[in-house]
Amino acid sequence: MTPRQRRLAVVVAVLLTVGLASALVLHALRSEIVFFRTPTQVLAGEAPVGQAFRLGGLVEEGSVQRDGLQVRFAITDTAQRVNVIYQGLLPDLFREGQGVVAQGRLDAQGLFHAQQVLAKHDENYMPPEAGEAVSRAVRPAVEEGAR
């Protein structure tokens, strides 16, 4: 092999190694990314059925039903609502009318199976995406009332 062919072989081997490493990293990151959705987005079909994502909004008043460790409740952005089922202990700050983010999967019937539920930690906290969704949903209702 001539020196030129050796250099070319080394460059090709390095490029293949870097490409393979990059592909593995991107694949690992893609499987770990969890997107945030609002109830309006879920009901508009923007949420993947069977894939993990985060659902955020407010716990709808009067929707919490407990049966041992199984809890059913609805998350709303004041425009739409998604029913959620969760098996386990809820955070101490979880209550109706409060902000919440649930991580889990949507089934084919539209029921969200939460694997983790996070409640807001003080009166001023709400995930930015959930706050924007609530304010967008409230704006049209306020404009309707002004007419």
Side-chain angles (χ1 to χ4, degrees), residues 2 10 20 22 28 36-37 40-41 44 47 64 71 81 92 95-96 99 104-105 110 126 130 135-136 144:
T2 66
V10 168
L20 180 62
S22 298
F36 179 88
R37 303 281 190 237
T40 299
Q41 291 173 319
V64 177
V71 182
R81 70 187 293 248
D92 292 337
R95 59 184 55 91
E96 294 176 353
R105 299 173 191 278
M126 182 180 291
S135 66
R136 276 196 311 265
E144 282 288 320

Side-chain angles (χ1 to χ4, degrees), residues 81-95:
R81 70 187 293 248
V82 173
N83 291 319
V84 178
I85 187 167
Y86 176 69
Q87 182 77 27
L89 297 173
L90 289 167
D92 292 337
L93 297 174
F94 177 89
R95 59 184 55 91

Side-chain angles (χ1 to χ4, degrees), residues 77-78 126 128-143:
D77 58 4
T78 69
M126 182 180 291
E129 297 91 346
E132 289 172 20
V134 168
S135 66
R136 276 196 311 265
V138 169
R139 250 184 259 133
V142 169
E143 290 169 2

Side-chain angles (χ1 to χ4, degrees), residues 15-61:
L15 288 175
L16 286 174
T17 303
V18 169
L20 180 62
S22 298
L24 289 173
V25 168
L26 289 174
H27 178 70
L29 287 176
R30 186 175 19 158
S31 65
E32 293 300 318
I33 291 176
V34 180
F35 292 101
F36 179 88
R37 303 281 190 237
T38 64
T40 299
Q41 291 173 319
V42 170
L43 295 176
E46 296 177 25
V49 174
Q51 293 182 4
F53 67 94
R54 288 185 177 153
L55 174 65
L58 302 173
V59 178
E60 188 173 65
E61 295 284 341

Side-chain angles (χ1 to χ4, degrees), residues 56-133:
L58 302 173
V59 178
E60 188 173 65
E61 295 284 341
S63 69
V64 177
Q65 300 171 354
R66 297 175 191 267
D67 182 17
L69 287 179
Q70 186 178 68
V71 182
R72 291 177 173 267
F73 58 96
I75 294 180
T76 182
D77 58 4
T78 69
Q80 300 288 337
R81 70 187 293 248
V82 173
N83 291 319
V84 178
I85 187 167
Y86 176 69
Q87 182 77 27
L89 297 173
L90 289 167
D92 292 337
L93 297 174
F94 177 89
R95 59 184 55 91
E96 294 176 353
Q98 299 295 323
V100 68
V101 175
Q103 182 172 325
R105 299 173 191 278
L106 189 67
D107 68 14
Q109 290 76 36
L111 181 63
F112 188 79
H113 296 267
Q115 296 156 338
Q116 182 181 31
V117 175
L118 306 170
K120 69 179 192 166
H121 58 80
D122 70 18
E123 288 301 312
N124 300 318
Y125 176 76
M126 182 180 291
E129 297 91 346
E132 289 172 20

